[in-house]
Amino acid sequence: QLKQHTIAYANCELAFAGQNLQAFLIGRQIFVATCMFVVARIATPVYKQGDADDNIFGLSDTFQSFLNLGLTGAVITTIVGSLAWRIVASSFPLTFLSNPLIYVIIRICLVLEGSGLCASAWILGLANKRLAGYRTDQEYLRQPKGGESNSNGGNSNDDDELLHTPVPSV
């Protein structure tokens, strides 16, 4: 049935080819974050403070400074740019996938992920780890409380039991 809808079929072929789905999901996050900043900047009213007549709807300077922060643009982007698309896609998946704009958006997300922009975050994370001295959870769990070491090098049977205790399912 999907082959009858050529655009939807092309979108699915592109999204599910090789590692494209994972790449799309990463690129989508970059795309959403970029849109968030751009739309927040566009949708945020900026009025000078000082005279109540210069503020939007004659509001106080304090409330106007709150509006100037960009929260209104962030809320608009979250509602329209994220939630509305999800509702439409889940309610009408075939119609949503038949939109030619979706193919363009998938391509943009794949290009953003392919640019390596997200991969560069790993370098920043490793540098932060070294500067701040972060350790893995296993290292924290194996260290005795208070920082003192055990006679067996910090690896007690209690620590091993803690690490290998199964998590109950809900």
Side-chain angles (χ1 to χ4, degrees):
Q1 180 184 9
L2 186 61
K3 288 187 179 183
Q4 296 172 356
H5 304 275
T6 56
I7 296 173
Y9 182 72
N11 286 335
C12 288
E13 286 292 312
L14 176 62
F16 295 115
Q19 296 291 322
N20 280 1
L21 183 60
Q22 182 180 1
F24 165 74
L25 292 174
I26 294 169
R28 180 186 159 273
Q29 292 303 109
I30 300 169
F31 190 57
V32 168
T34 303
C35 288
M36 182 83 152
F37 283 109
V38 171
V39 173
R41 184 66 189 135
I42 292 170
T44 300
V46 179
Y47 292 92
K48 295 178 183 174
Q49 297 174 351
D51 187 13
D53 294 335
D54 291 338
N55 293 346
I56 189 169
F57 304 123
L59 297 171
S60 68
D61 285 342
T62 305
F63 193 73
Q64 183 61 50
S65 63
F66 171 74
L67 290 177
N68 289 347
L69 291 175
L71 186 62
T72 53
V75 169
I76 291 169
T77 305
T78 302
I79 293 171
V80 175
S82 183
L83 301 177
W85 284 86
R86 288 182 187 185
I87 292 170
V88 170
S90 65
S91 299
F92 309 102
L94 194 57
T95 306
F96 180 79
L97 286 173
S98 295
N99 186 345
L101 181 63
I102 300 304
Y103 189 84
V104 173
I105 291 173
I106 293 172
R107 283 284 182 195
I108 290 170
C109 293
L110 291 174
V111 166
L112 285 173
E113 197 279 331
S115 71
L117 184 65
C118 223
S120 64
W122 284 102
I123 296 170
L124 295 173
L126 290 173
N128 191 23
K129 178 183 174 184
R130 288 196 179 175
L131 288 173
Y134 294 138
R135 297 180 294 176
T136 62
D137 288 342
Q138 288 83 9
E139 291 177 73
Y140 280 114
L141 291 175
R142 289 192 186 276
Q143 180 181 358
K145 291 185 180 179
E148 68 275 352
S149 63
N150 293 1
S151 59
N152 60 0
N155 293 327
S156 69
N157 290 337
D158 294 337
D159 291 338
D160 290 337
E161 288 176 15
L162 179 63
L163 289 174
H164 300 293
T165 303
V167 178
S169 61
V170 179

